[in-house]
Amino acid sequence: MKKIIIIVASLVVVVGLAIGLTQHQARPKEASQTITPGTLTIGLEGTFAPFSYRQNGQLTGFEVDLSTTIAKKLGLKPKYVQTKWDSLIAGLGAKRYDVVFNDVGITPERQKAYLFATPYLYAKTVLIKRTDETHLNTLADLKGKKMAQSTTSNFGALAKKSGADIVAVPGMTEAMNLVTTKRADGALNDLGAYATWKKANPDAATTAVDLSQESPATPAAPLLNKQNTALQKAINNALKDLEADGTLKKLSLKYFNTDLTQP
């Protein structure tokens, strides 16, 4: 009887060690690279519809749904940190969050300092103007014009490169306020963002000119710190799965009424 008890006890210990080892191996490597164990801390604006915004007090939007789904696939709890665009990327460098999901375009300058995961969005650039503005239709027309732009965004850089005088704004809402009140001639922005703003402001005398022929879509992707290679790989795998099962396309159709997930 004593021998049986010892054998049973030994089996319990072995099984317990096996379970513990399995759990340890199943724990995602990326968890060790997150600021808070078991949590994926995500930086975003939270005021940039339809990407991330508040509705009835709740944070929602394309990138909120997408990053929440990715966090769950990684076995992590999503946590959001809202920050204005001009300080959003700097906050990543200061390790306020693990990754940024905020329609961040891939540029050579950003690639020098940060890691990008797989692109998930290819949004069209539009030139937003008042409907009575007839001399603002191409990038060449921006020279000498006042353009309401975030100074650190891809759109701001494009407007400046095109010779525009930049009127600095923190985001889309402020830019549209300047355009509609004639304190700026126009603004470059994302087609999806403008469509959402226009839907909420149907009486605004504004229109958007598609500049995709002059300015091909810049792919947007999750942005991470250079050392977070394991997390980058895990997010890449999650995005691959979400593209394969149709989730990416469904989210794009839900928030943009079109599929912007392909170049």
Side-chain angles (χ1 to χ4, degrees):
M1 175 65 90
K2 185 176 181 180
K3 188 178 291 186
I4 293 174
I5 293 173
I6 292 173
I7 292 173
V8 172
S10 299
L11 287 172
V12 170
V13 171
V14 171
V15 171
L17 287 172
I19 292 173
L21 180 59
T22 301
Q23 289 176 337
H24 176 73
Q25 290 175 337
R27 186 178 301 155
K29 291 180 181 179
E30 64 274 4
S32 65
Q33 288 197 326
T34 58
I35 297 169
T36 303
T39 300
L40 184 66
T41 306
I42 302 155
L44 42 66
E45 284 181 270
T47 57
F48 187 33
F51 298 90
S52 63
Y53 59 102
R54 294 266 173 192
Q55 188 174 62
N56 300 322
Q58 297 295 315
L59 195 60
T60 188
F62 172 79
E63 286 170 318
V64 175
D65 283 6
L66 176 59
S67 55
T68 295
T69 303
I70 288 174
K72 290 179 179 178
K73 286 185 74 70
L74 302 186
L76 301 172
K77 179 182 178 181
K79 175 185 176 183
Y80 294 98
V81 178
Q82 289 186 232
T83 306
K84 290 183 178 181
W85 168 257
D86 286 341
S87 58
L88 188 62
I89 296 178
L92 179 65
K95 297 185 177 180
R96 292 187 58 211
Y97 21 82
D98 302 304
V99 59
V100 171
F101 276 84
N102 202 85
D103 192 30
V104 181
I106 299 175
T107 64
E109 294 75 20
R110 289 169 184 158
Q111 287 178 310
K112 291 177 183 177
Y114 299 95
L115 287 178
F116 279 99
T118 301
Y120 55 79
L121 199 69
Y122 298 83
K124 291 183 178 180
T125 300
V126 291
L127 168 55
I128 306 165
K129 61 176 186 175
R130 294 182 298 277
T131 51
D132 62 357
E133 173 57 76
T134 59
H135 302 292
L136 199 58
N137 301 294
T138 68
L139 287 177
D141 298 332
L142 267 58
K143 188 174 182 179
K145 296 290 187 178
K146 291 183 178 180
M147 298 295 288
Q149 309 289 163
S150 170
T151 56
T152 58
S153 70
N154 291 2
F155 300 115
L158 180 59
K160 185 176 181 180
K161 182 180 178 181
S162 301
D165 295 328
I166 305 300
V167 182
V169 293
M172 176 76 174
T173 301
E174 293 82 3
M176 294 310 302
N177 184 43
L178 291 184
V179 173
T180 55
T181 57
K182 298 186 178 182
R183 288 177 289 168
D185 297 304
L188 297 181
N189 215 303
D190 173 86
L191 173 61
Y194 173 71
T196 299
W197 180 89
K198 184 67 173 178
K199 185 176 180 180
N201 300 271
D203 296 328
T206 62
T207 188
V209 180
D210 185 352
L211 295 182
S212 56
Q213 293 299 314
E214 288 189 87
S215 177
T218 300
L223 187 70
L224 306 94
N225 279 315
K226 278 284 189 182
Q227 69 274 19
N228 276 13
T229 53
L231 183 58
Q232 177 200 38
K233 183 178 180 181
I235 291 175
N236 285 346
N237 289 336
L239 283 167
K240 184 178 180 180
D241 290 343
L242 294 177
E243 181 178 10
D245 68 15
T247 299
L248 263 181
K249 182 178 180 179
K250 288 177 183 177
L251 288 176
S252 182
L253 291 173
K254 175 182 176 180
Y255 287 102
F256 303 108
N257 293 318
T258 187
D259 183 13
L260 298 178
T261 65
Q262 300 298 319

